Amino acid sequence: MATTTNLLATLGDLERDSFVSLLSKLIGESKHVQNNPPELIPEEDRVVKHVLDALLPFSTATGGGPLLLNHVTYLPRRGNLIVEYPGTVPGKILSFVGCHMDVVTANPNDWDFDPFSLSIDGDKLRGRGTTDCLGHVALVTQLMRRLGETKPNLKSTVVAVFIANEENSAITGVGVDALVKDGLLNKLKEGPLFWIDTADKQPCVGTGGMIPWKLHVTGKLFHSGLAHKAINPLELAMDALKEIQLRFYRDFPPHPQEQVYGFATPSTMKPTQWSYPGGGINQIPGECTISGDVRLTPFYNVKDVIKKLQEYVDDINENVQKLETRGPVSKYVLPDENIRGSLTLTFDEAMSGVACDLNSRGFHVLCKATEEVVGHVKPYSITGSLPLIRELQEEGFDVQTSGYGLMATYHAKNEYCLFTDMSQGYRVFTRIISQLED
C-alpha cells in the first residue's frame, strides 16, 4: 500500500494551469447555471460535460484508467455526477460531496468585471461561482483526475459527488435529495463524508436552521386626521412583533452548546421585509405584511419553534386589547363597531441546521490535515444555512464540512477566490486520504 510520504508525493500539488483552464470553462457556463426559478432554471449538464472531458481519459469508460463515472439525471439537462476511485478494502471509503454545479444569480451591471467569464488578477480568480461552488467542482475534479492518472494503490475507495440544484429548493427531486432517495449514496455511510461548500479553509462544524415567516396584519383603514376611528396595522404590526420577539428570546435563549461549537450568534427571530398595499400619506392603511426569518442553532427543533410562534400569535389575537399601544387614541379594538385588529402567521419551507460530530474520525482527520496545511485549525459555526446536510446526517452519514473559497465573497457581487487557498484545499484533501489509509 502507498505510504503517507509516497502518496503525498504521488498526488503532488494542485497544478495551476490545469485547474485554471478547467475553472475558466466552468465559469464560462455560469450564466446558464443560475438558479432562480421560474425565470432561471440551471442546466447543470453544461458543467458535467467539462468535468467528464477532464475525467473520461482516466476512466473505465475509455479503458484509460480506473475511474468509475455515473452521470445521473432526473430532469433533462440537470445531471449529477458520481466519480469513484476504487480502493482494495471492501467497506473502507471516504467521499467529497456537496460541490454543486448551480450558482446564485448575478447582474453584470452591478459588477466591476464580467461575472460570467473567468478573469485573473494575480492570485484572484474572479467570476460567479469561483467561491460558491464551481471553484470546488474544479478542485475536486483535479483531485479525482490525479488519482485516475497516477493510480496509487489505496485501501480506501475515494468518491466525489458533483450535485445539481443546491441553491434553490423551489424544484426538488433533482440533486442530492434524489440520489439519497434512490440509495445511490448508501455506501458512503461507511466512512466520512466531507461536504465541500463552505469557505475560509477551516472546518465549519455548525450551521443554522431557517424558518421563513410572514405576519399579515389587518386593521381598519381610515383618514389619518381621525385616527380614533382607525386600527393602525403598522402600529399593531410593530407592537405585536415586539411581543413575539420577546417571547421567542425567552423560550429559545442562547444554548450552552453554542459556545462549544463557536457559533457567532445565538438563535434570532427578526423582520427583514415590510410591505403594504399603498395609499396616501393622510390615510391609515387597512393592512400590512412583515416578513422575516428565524435563524436557529441546531440545538433547538424547527418544529418546536414553528409551534411556539403560532401559539404566540394565537394568544395575541385573543388578547389584542391587552397589547401595548402608541398614544391616547391608538387602539387595536373598536368595540362600538365590533372590529378587532388581527394577525395571520404563515411559513415558507423551513430547514434544519446541523451540528457535526466533534468526536468522529472524519472531524479529527479534517482538523489534522487543516493544521498541517494551513498552519492552524479553528473550527467555526454560523447561523447561515446549508440545505441538505442535516438530512444526510439523519440518514446516518458522518458529515463534515469545509471549503476553500472566501466567505466575504459568498453570494456577493464581484465574487472571487484565491488560487493559493484552493491549492491548500487540494493539499488538505490529499492528507485526508493519506491519514485514512492508516
Side-chain angles (χ1 to χ4, degrees):
M1 292 297 162
T3 67
T4 296
T5 307
N6 289 346
L7 179 59
L8 295 179
T10 298
L11 296 178
D13 291 330
L14 183 63
E15 295 176 358
R16 182 181 174 108
D17 290 348
S18 179
F19 173 75
V20 170
S21 173
L22 176 58
L23 183 59
S24 180
K25 294 171 186 172
L26 302 189
I27 302 303
E29 303 290 2
S30 59
K31 183 175 184 178
H32 305 287
V33 293
Q34 297 176 95
N35 195 343
N36 190 29
E39 296 84 5
L40 295 169
I41 297 176
E43 298 178 14
E44 289 93 345
D45 274 352
R46 287 173 171 265
V47 173
V48 171
K49 177 187 181 301
H50 297 297
V51 175
L52 284 174
D53 286 346
L55 298 181
L56 272 168
F58 309 102
S59 73
T60 58
T62 60
L67 295 180
L68 301 168
L69 307 177
N70 186 10
H71 182 193
V72 185
T73 303
Y74 295 97
L75 288 178
R77 300 182 296 280
R78 302 208 60 192
N80 305 269
L81 184 63
I82 303 171
V83 183
E84 180 176 323
Y85 180 81
T88 59
V89 177
K92 192 168 172 62
I93 198 164
L94 70 138
S95 57
F96 299 100
V97 185
C99 301
H100 56 89
M101 300 178 286
D102 59 332
V103 301
V104 293
T105 58
N107 181 350
N109 297 328
D110 295 337
W111 286 49
D112 298 336
F113 47 85
D114 180 7
F116 304 128
S117 64
L118 185 71
S119 56
I120 301 170
D121 178 13
D123 196 33
K124 290 182 181 179
L125 305 173
R126 310 185 307 181
R128 175 56 90 216
T130 46
T131 269
D132 181 31
C133 187
L134 298 176
H136 290 128
V137 173
L139 177 61
V140 175
T141 299
Q142 293 299 108
L143 175 72
M144 300 308 290
R145 177 187 169 97
R146 189 72 177 147
L147 286 168
E149 209 171 17
T150 58
K151 305 180 185 67
N153 194 12
L154 298 181
K155 298 174 192 170
S156 296
T157 294
V158 182
V159 178
V161 184
F162 303 100
I163 61 172
N165 200 52
E166 190 270 352
E167 292 291 9
N168 194 292
S169 59
I171 299 170
T172 59
V174 179
V176 76
D177 54 337
L179 297 176
V180 170
K181 184 180 177 185
D182 282 356
L184 294 174
L185 305 185
N186 278 354
K187 68 180 181 181
L188 305 188
K189 293 177 185 176
E190 296 175 352
L193 183 155
F194 299 95
W195 186 272
I196 308 301
D197 184 31
T198 57
D200 291 351
K201 302 186 290 190
Q202 294 294 332
C204 177
V205 293
T207 65
M210 184 178 68
I211 307 169
W213 54 265
K214 283 188 175 68
L215 186 67
H216 184 74
V217 183
T218 304
K220 183 198 170 191
L221 183 149
F222 218 81
H223 192 293
S224 67
L226 300 166
H228 64 296
K229 290 185 174 290
I231 294 176
N232 190 325
L234 305 176
E235 292 184 346
L236 175 53
M238 288 188 276
D239 288 326
L241 182 61
K242 181 180 179 182
E243 180 62 26
I244 291 167
Q245 287 179 295
L246 287 171
R247 296 187 191 189
F248 172 86
Y249 289 114
R250 180 194 67 205
D251 289 341
F252 303 98
H255 193 284
Q257 283 291 101
E258 290 161 11
Q259 287 193 327
V260 175
Y261 276 77
F263 272 92
T265 68
S267 302
T268 58
M269 187 271 176
K270 67 280 177 195
T272 57
Q273 296 175 328
W274 189 301
S275 63
Y276 86 112
I281 197 76
N282 63 348
Q283 191 176 52
I284 295 171
E287 60 182 301
C288 70
T289 302
I290 303 181
S291 303
D293 68 13
V294 174
R295 293 289 176 153
L296 193 70
T297 61
F299 315 110
Y300 291 113
N301 186 292
V302 163
K303 290 179 181 176
D304 292 344
V305 174
I306 290 173
K307 183 169 178 278
K308 277 287 186 185
L309 291 175
Q310 188 60 58
E311 286 175 5
Y312 304 159
V313 169
D314 291 345
D315 182 59
I316 291 169
N317 276 330
E318 286 179 22
N319 298 284
V320 71
Q321 70 282 359
K322 297 178 183 175
L323 203 60
E324 186 178 346
T325 56
R326 297 166 178 249
V329 296
S330 176
K331 60 176 75 69
Y332 303 135
V333 177
L334 298 174
D336 294 347
E337 301 179 53
N338 198 26
I339 296 175
R340 298 168 63 87
S342 64
L343 317 172
T344 304
L345 183 64
T346 56
F347 300 97
D348 290 334
E349 186 178 357
M351 69 172 76
S352 297
V354 68
C356 295
D357 182 357
L358 303 186
N359 297 310
S360 81
R361 181 88 196 278
F363 177 66
H364 292 308
V365 298
L366 175 59
C367 284
K368 186 178 178 188
T370 301
E371 189 165 28
E372 287 178 4
V373 173
V374 180
H376 69 284
V377 60
K378 187 179 181 183
Y380 70 95
S381 299
I382 53 172
T383 52
S385 299
L386 281 176
L388 312 172
I389 60 173
R390 175 64 174 263
E391 289 78 2
L392 288 175
Q393 192 183 54
E394 289 174 349
E395 286 277 344
F397 294 86
D398 171 23
V399 181
Q400 303 295 329
T401 75
S402 190
Y404 302 91
L406 296 165
M407 191 67 75
T409 74
Y410 220 87
H411 288 199
K413 65 180 182 179
N414 300 325
E415 181 182 350
Y416 68 92
C417 68
L418 301 177
F419 176 77
T420 50
D421 289 348
M422 289 290 172
S423 183
Q424 287 186 320
Y426 180 90
R427 289 164 57 206
V428 168
F429 295 162
T430 62
R431 278 154 181 78
I432 286 172
I433 294 169
S434 69
Q435 285 183 66
L436 290 169
E437 284 297 284
D438 297 335

